[in-house]
């Protein structure tokens, strides 16, 4: 859900009150990312006390078709990026068997990957803000591609080296996940940016699913999990060539006509950047805190309530969503009046939403037979992204644009258009709560069917084995009967 709306909407309303619309270049062209408040109440490039010079409007340009071609290349590389994330889960059992890795250490593979990604992301963010983004992206592709290829040649005695290689792959992935969206942000503005970013992030679930499928299929066709890691570098090499040839190394802020050279401001230090961004990270801190607390509360409530009600899990999810809807509604409405109250209701809404994460996974695992749970999880993740963060940014932006088209072009009206479009999220939350109520009606029956199928249904290999055994038993019996003397048979 688009819970980040409250701080964005509040900032836009404050801009309208400051009356900047008639004095300075429109900062909204740059999107929400460029509108952080400075200590004196100004935003983004205006924080230094100056308006962006209008003379910068013609300093850099790119044909539309080149911009869309570059965006297509970046989307393709994002697909490969997430395929590299999830190619190991597709061959995880073979990797475990080869390196003699236990289940706990198998889980550590992804932990090492994500850990290295998180640690290296700030470093790539620093490089991406100060040096050539195209060169940094190329380095990241070479890093994850080379580490992935090298890991396919590691001997079974050096399992620690395989863990290290996954960490290097995660480091390379951090460069792309950090910098690529900023390149798109400098290629497009307003609704075009929203649409392109929506397409870009659609490739997260698509790449995740394809990586899993590619790993398992290639391992099955070749008889070796290593080839799954040797095919990806070929696709990565094509991506690198396309990046070098088709994606320009555009100036930062080019789409908003606010290139760094044109503005002429001295480059800030990394610490100054962190302090500047710290004023926008209230929402991030709330998300982290409420996410941790919400997951724990949801799991504990489910554990306790299941003892007295077998339908506890979907009822908890439905209740949390029904309580989230008014919190989200109030957070959006109060954003124009009091920021503190808006953040309070926003935090409550995120807390209630987070209660569902572990519970939904528990519901899924309880209604699916064990041999299909991996596929079920993959499908659930894919569908959740498609119905959620993949399409909702575009849909919300589209509604806002439709509302804005019939209103005066002012900061206040843009704020109201976004506010009204985000209110649709509250109704979507209520719809989700209703779906969980329907789930409660069928949960016990589906769980019983899953238990029955898990006990009485054999996999295809098991059925084939049983058939062969039966045929062998019949054959041996008939042979034995043929060997019995005829008088005895009579």
């Amino acid at each position: 859900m688009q819970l980040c709306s409250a701080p964005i909407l509040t900032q836009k309303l404050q801009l309208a009150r400051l009356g900047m619309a008639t004095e300075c270049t429109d900062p909204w062209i740059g999107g929400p990312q460029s509108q952080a408040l400075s200590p004196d109440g100004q935003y983004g490039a205006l924080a230094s006390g100056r308006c962006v010079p209008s003379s910068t409007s013609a300093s850099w340009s790119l044909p539309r078709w080149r911009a869309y071609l570059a965006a297509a290349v970046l989307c393709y590389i994002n697909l490969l990026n997430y395929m590299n994330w999830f190619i190991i889960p597709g061959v995880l059992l073979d990797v475990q068997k080869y390196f003699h890795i236990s289940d706990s250490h198998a889980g550590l593979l992804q932990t090492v990957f994500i850990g290295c990604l998180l640690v290296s992301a700030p470093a790539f963010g620093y490089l991406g803000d100060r040096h050539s983004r195209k060169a940094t992206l190329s380095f990241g592709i070479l890093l994850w591609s080379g580490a992935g290829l090298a890991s396919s040649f590691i001997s079974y005695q050096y399992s620690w080296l395989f863990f290290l290689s996954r960490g290097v792959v995660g480091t390379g992935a951090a460069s792309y996940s950090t910098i690529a969206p900023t390149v798109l942000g400098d290629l497009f503005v307003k609704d075009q940016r929203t649409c392109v970013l929506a397409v870009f992030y659609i490739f997260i679930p698509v790449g995740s699913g394809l990586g899993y499928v590619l790993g398992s299929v290639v391992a099955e066709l070749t008889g070796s999990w290593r080839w799954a890691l040797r095919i990806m570098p070929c696709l990565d090499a094509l991506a690198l060539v396309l990046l070098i040839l088709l994606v320009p190394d555009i100036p930062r802020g080019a789409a908003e006509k606010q290139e760094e050279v044109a503005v002429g401001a001295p480059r800030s230090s990394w610490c100054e950047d962190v302090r500047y961004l710290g004023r926008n990270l209230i929402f991030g801190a709330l998300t982290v805190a409420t996410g941790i607390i919400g997951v724990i509360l949801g799991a504990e409530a489910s554990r306790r309530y299941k003892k007295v009600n077998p339908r506890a899990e979907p009822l908890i999810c439905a209740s949390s969503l029904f309580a989230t809807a008014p919190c989200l509604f109030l957070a959006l409405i109060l954003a124009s009046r009091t920021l503190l109250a808006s953040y309070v209701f926003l935090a409550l809404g995120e807390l209630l939403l987070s209660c569902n994460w572990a519970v939904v996974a528990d519901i899924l695992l309880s209604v699916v037979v064990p041999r299909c749970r991996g596929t079920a999880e993959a499908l659930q993740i894919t569908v959740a992204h498609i119905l959620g963060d993949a399409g909702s940014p575009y849909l919300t932006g589209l509604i806002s644009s439709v509302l804005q088209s019939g209103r005066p072009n002012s900061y206040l009206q843009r704020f109201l258009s976004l506010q009204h479009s985000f209110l649709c999220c509250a109704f979507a939350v209520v719809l989700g709560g209703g779906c969980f109520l329907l789930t409660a009606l069928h949960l016990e029956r589906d769980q019983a069917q899953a238990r029955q199928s898990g006990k009485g249904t054999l996999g295809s290999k098991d059925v084939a084995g049983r058939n062969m055994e039966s045929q062998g038993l019949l054959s041996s019996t008939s042979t034995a009967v043929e060997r019995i003397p005829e008088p005895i048979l009579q």
Side-chain angles (χ1 to χ4, degrees):
M1 305 306 296
Q2 305 299 312
L3 292 178
C4 58
S5 56
I8 296 174
L9 295 173
T10 304
Q11 289 177 1
K12 289 177 67 58
L13 184 64
Q14 290 173 345
L15 270 178
R17 290 173 176 172
L18 288 173
M20 294 180 181
T22 59
E23 298 178 6
C24 302
T25 301
D26 188 352
W28 174 242
I29 295 177
Q33 294 89 339
S34 63
Q35 299 183 28
L37 268 172
S38 69
D40 58 354
Q42 293 179 319
Y43 288 76
L46 304 173
S48 62
R50 302 188 304 272
C51 296
V52 179
S54 59
S55 60
T56 64
S57 59
S59 58
W60 193 91
S61 63
L62 187 71
R64 281 296 88 188
W65 68 270
R66 282 289 311 277
Y68 283 113
L69 185 61
V73 172
L74 293 175
C75 288
Y76 167 68
I77 303 175
N78 198 38
L79 175 74
L80 299 184
N81 183 22
Y82 280 88
M83 287 178 68
N84 278 282
W85 279 45
F86 286 90
I87 198 168
I88 288 298
V91 295
L92 184 57
L93 293 178
D94 294 330
V95 172
Q96 283 186 260
K97 183 178 180 181
Y98 180 79
F99 287 107
H100 306 290
I101 299 174
S102 64
D103 289 343
S104 61
H105 285 85
L108 188 61
L109 275 173
Q110 191 69 0
T111 302
V112 171
F113 179 93
I114 297 297
C116 290
L117 186 148
L118 295 178
V119 170
S120 55
F124 283 111
Y126 177 88
L127 294 174
D129 284 341
R130 288 160 177 80
H131 302 285
S132 170
R133 289 180 290 185
K134 188 172 180 178
T136 307
L137 290 175
S138 301
F139 173 75
I141 295 174
L142 288 173
L143 196 61
W144 86 52
S145 179
L149 179 62
S151 66
S152 68
F153 296 98
I154 297 175
S155 176
Y156 70 91
Q157 298 101 326
Y158 302 100
S159 60
W160 63 271
L161 197 56
F162 187 79
F163 280 83
L164 179 61
S165 69
R166 291 306 297 168
V168 176
V169 173
T171 301
S175 69
Y176 195 80
S177 300
T178 303
I179 298 175
T182 70
V183 178
L184 291 175
D186 288 330
L187 286 171
F188 303 94
V189 293
K190 292 186 176 180
D191 295 340
Q192 289 181 334
R193 176 185 292 174
T194 302
C195 296
V196 170
L197 287 175
V199 174
F200 179 80
Y201 284 110
I202 282 175
F203 285 96
I204 293 179
V206 174
S208 302
L210 285 180
Y212 188 93
V213 171
L214 179 67
S216 57
V217 170
V218 170
E220 184 176 353
L221 292 177
T222 62
S224 173
W225 61 271
R226 297 172 179 273
W227 284 104
L229 297 176
R230 294 170 183 172
I231 288 179
M232 284 303 303
C234 301
L235 302 175
D236 295 334
L238 174 62
L240 182 60
V241 172
L242 293 176
L243 175 68
I244 294 173
L245 296 179
L246 301 179
V247 179
D249 202 357
I250 59 178
R252 296 167 184 85
E256 296 92 349
K257 315 301 181 186
Q258 294 180 17
E259 295 91 332
E260 291 176 329
V261 176
V263 173
R267 191 65 182 90
S268 58
S269 68
W270 185 81
C271 292
E272 290 172 338
D273 288 349
V274 171
R275 287 195 297 269
Y276 162 75
L277 293 172
R279 293 190 290 270
N280 286 342
L281 294 177
I282 297 176
F283 175 75
L286 286 179
T287 302
V288 172
T290 56
I292 295 174
I293 298 173
V295 169
I296 296 174
L297 287 179
E300 184 63 18
S302 174
R303 185 184 68 84
R304 292 177 179 271
Y305 192 26
K306 276 194 297 186
K307 296 178 181 179
V308 296
N309 189 340
R311 300 177 179 179
E313 293 159 322
L315 291 178
I316 289 174
C317 292
S319 301
S320 65
L321 289 180
F322 286 140
T324 297
C327 291
L328 179 58
F329 182 85
L330 290 172
L332 293 169
I333 295 298
L334 294 174
S336 60
R337 294 173 175 83
T338 166
L339 185 60
L340 178 60
S342 178
Y343 273 127
V344 169
F345 284 106
L346 189 65
L348 288 175
E350 287 200 276
L351 177 67
L352 292 167
L353 279 177
S354 300
C355 292
N356 291 353
W357 286 105
V359 182
V360 168
D362 199 5
I363 294 174
L364 178 67
L365 295 177
S366 69
V367 297
V368 177
V369 294
R371 66 174 181 275
C372 297
R373 285 175 179 170
T375 303
E377 285 284 357
L379 291 175
Q380 189 267 339
I381 291 173
T382 302
V383 172
H385 280 291
I386 291 175
L387 296 179
D389 54 359
S392 60
Y394 171 74
L395 182 60
T396 305
L398 179 63
I399 295 174
S400 176
S401 298
V402 172
L403 295 174
Q404 177 62 30
S405 62
R407 297 175 175 178
N409 186 21
S410 66
Y411 284 104
L412 178 60
Q413 293 303 322
R414 289 176 180 175
F415 167 83
L416 293 175
S417 297
L418 270 179
Q419 183 189 53
H420 295 160
S421 66
F422 277 115
L423 288 175
C424 297
C425 298
F427 296 98
V429 169
V430 173
L431 179 61
C435 292
F436 275 114
L437 289 181
L438 292 176
T439 302
L441 298 177
H442 303 279
L443 179 63
E444 293 180 272
R445 184 195 64 188
D446 293 344
Q447 289 175 333
Q449 289 179 350
R451 288 192 296 267
Q452 205 73 2
S453 300
K455 292 179 180 179
T457 304
L458 295 172
S460 57
K461 293 183 179 180
D462 295 330
V463 172
R466 290 290 179 87
N467 290 337
M468 293 179 63
E469 291 176 5
S470 301
Q471 292 174 2
L473 180 60
L474 291 174
S475 176
S476 61
T477 302
S478 60
T479 303
V481 171
E482 290 176 357
R483 292 178 179 177
I484 299 176
E486 186 175 349
I488 296 179
L489 290 175
Q490 295 176 348

